[in-house]
Amino acid sequence: MKKVIQKMSLVVFLLSTTLISACTQSLGAVESTQTASIAAQGPVDAKEIEAFADPLFAKKMKEYNVAGSSFVVVRDGKVIVNKGYGFADKEKKIPVDKDTVFQIGSVTKTFTALAAMQQVDAGKIDLHRNIEEYLGGLKIPNQTGKPVTMYDLLTYTPGFAFPDGTTFTGPQYIGKDISMDEFFPKHMPVIIRPPGETYTYDNTGFLLAGYAVEKASGIPFAQYMDEKVFKPLGMTSTSVRLKPELMKRMAANYYDNGELRPLEGHAPTDGPQGSIISTAEDMAKYMIMQLQNGKFDGKEIVSQKSLDLMHTHQVFADDIPITTVGFENYFPEYTNGQHVVLKGGNMPGHSSLMVLIPEYKTGFFMSYNNDSMVSADIYKEFMDHYFPETEKKAEPVYMTLSEADAQKYFGLYQNTRFYWTRTSIAYENGSLILENPATGKQKLRMIRPLLFVDEVGEKVTFKEDKNGNIKSFYYTTAKGVHLVAESQKMEMEKTYSDVPNTSSYKTHINNLSALSIMGAKSGNKFDPTGTMTQGEFTDALIKAAGAYVMAGMEDVHRQQLAAGIPNLNSSAPITRQVAAAMIQNLKQLEPVATSKVTLQDTADAWAKDAITALVSQGIVDPDTKVNADGSFNFRSKDLLKRQEASALLDLAFGYYSLPIKR
């Protein structure tokens, strides 16, 4: 479920020579005919599929250091290929086969959506009624006044502040039995955005959806899935829980560097958002049902009407489809114009991908035992081979954007799932300028108002509120985490009576205020030259780092930021060297080799490297000047002022394209 998105690299080999062109015309014609034939039929022949897949998996698994992977292709209600590559356990030399068990992670969400739609078919849940009616009395804190519905949960639009705040995984949960009844009252996040309006990949929403199925049906979720889904589909090696008999066939979990990593379980134990384990053999049956109008072996598992909602895009960013009921559409450029629904999933050390092309009743599924994005490469190659693009896309015509028209886009934006991802948008020479740590600076050209394209062709779509003000954007780049949520425009109108417009700290103070990291000390006064306690700075640092939105990460960061700093006391005033050491403990930056900086004042030994690393990276407050020879006075043992804290935190964790070298 923990999504780790990285940019795919596409290697294009071009071979041309006028000397042999005449000799190769017939070969080219044959290859063209073969490609057209495959494209017309799709994957139908087992030998041809294996001839395509075997070298592809060999190459990509080596490239991504994947020990083992399953791969199954279905077409027209039949399994065409089902085989394993590499090792389920490389130490014991156990190969992957069709019966190897993997944790399928968030592919579970499609099963939860299916179960919810079964309850809709049965008349026990209304997709568009307040979901609290189906939660057995459980209440959801909601600041918006707009009720959240099952439809919102299943389309990733419920509006929770912390969509991953209920995602607890770890080895300590294996063998435990933690019910959703016990879990939810302690961990229910608040809804802060109007449901149905903002796409944010949401684990909490699907956990709640599964809870609603449990309450509406009167059957515990794991039992419900066994009786109503797995058994009718003949999925005898699939479970919501880590059953001992299935764990005997489970693939080992590995880090991306190839080292063995521990198996992790869930809290609550039944995880409608991501706890299912399964095999390629069983997943083939599930895909066949999905591609046969909800039927399997003559039995209706779910109505065609409900399945149509699962296969029809419901949420869009401009004209870019993002989600259905349960499924998604990441990497839209890979579809080559086909209607595709897909779902990926991750548990630490296991990853999966399911791809369905409903029009051709074709699908494939793969699971493998590390956290890499090899599945995205396989998906692209599969589509290019069997469903290549048939029409060349017209080059877009760009519109002129005046600075006056660009004003409404300006500002600071924060990703609505991962708060540490912040983006600045400004204007330069007829184009918007987008800047964040993942993409660096990107020039955006306007195709039409609200729709832009960056320098490598990725789209950025903006959304307006009812008054015509920009409220968010969605970015199709695979760099960073933009694919998994919209980014919300932050309110920048806050002013403080004691921060003049001429202050070199004003921008930093405004940024941190907009992100609710640091605000007024009292009334409308920021108290820029006031000091902070170690506890106050720690709280601001945790918010600036942004990872507190992930379940359990705040405690991890509080321990990490204190490492190596003696005599910490939350009520004691904080010095500049302590603040630098805390930031460096989280950032783990190295000094920039080309920036030779030398600390001139006295700092304690445990703080010197941290101070040097931050200053060499440009993470320094405006009143600390670095001389031409690289020397600087950090005033290490002085008390940290609030305005200085704002600058250090904004630069370290903001949107700047600093030369951050980890």
Side-chain angles (χ1 to χ4, degrees), residues 23 63 92 107 146 249 311 328 348 359 462 524 592 654:
C23 300
E63 181 181 335
K92 297 178 181 178
V107 179
K146 182 180 180 183
R249 290 189 271 130
H311 292 177
E328 299 167 293
E359 182 182 351
F462 291 88
N524 72 335
V592 178

Side-chain angles (χ1 to χ4, degrees), residues 113-186:
L114 179 79
M117 297 312 298
Q118 287 178 329
Q119 291 298 292
V120 171
D121 289 342
K124 293 184 177 182
I125 291 178
D126 186 318
L127 271 179
H128 302 289
R129 290 185 70 86
N130 188 336
I131 195 65
E132 287 185 343
E133 297 180 21
Y134 312 108
L135 299 181
L138 181 70
K139 299 299 181 182
I140 305 171
N142 189 336
Q143 297 177 357
T144 71
K146 182 180 180 183
V148 64
T149 68
M150 177 64 84
Y151 181 82
D152 300 326
L153 300 180
L154 299 181
T155 56
Y156 305 82
T157 60
F160 282 109
F162 306 129
D164 295 289
T166 56
T167 307
F168 287 83
T169 64
Q172 69 271 30
Y173 299 119
I174 295 174
K176 298 289 181 66
D177 191 353
I178 303 169
S179 69
M180 287 188 271
D181 281 326
E182 175 188 352
F183 179 87
F184 264 125
K186 302 174 184 176

Side-chain angles (χ1 to χ4, degrees), residues 207-267:
L207 183 56
L208 266 176
Y211 189 57
V213 169
E214 182 173 287
K215 292 301 181 182
S217 67
I219 305 172
F221 184 74
Q223 181 184 340
Y224 181 95
M225 297 305 292
D226 284 341
E227 295 179 1
K228 305 297 184 181
V229 179
F230 304 150
K231 186 176 179 180
L233 289 173
M235 298 177 71
T236 57
S237 294
T238 302
S239 175
V240 171
R241 296 191 164 202
L242 294 171
K243 293 182 178 179
E245 62 270 26
L246 295 180
M247 290 175 67
K248 293 176 183 177
R249 290 189 271 130
M250 184 175 285
N253 302 62
Y254 294 99
Y255 291 98
D256 288 355
N257 64 6
E259 293 181 6
L260 196 66
R261 70 183 299 168
L263 175 70
E264 297 192 13
H266 277 265

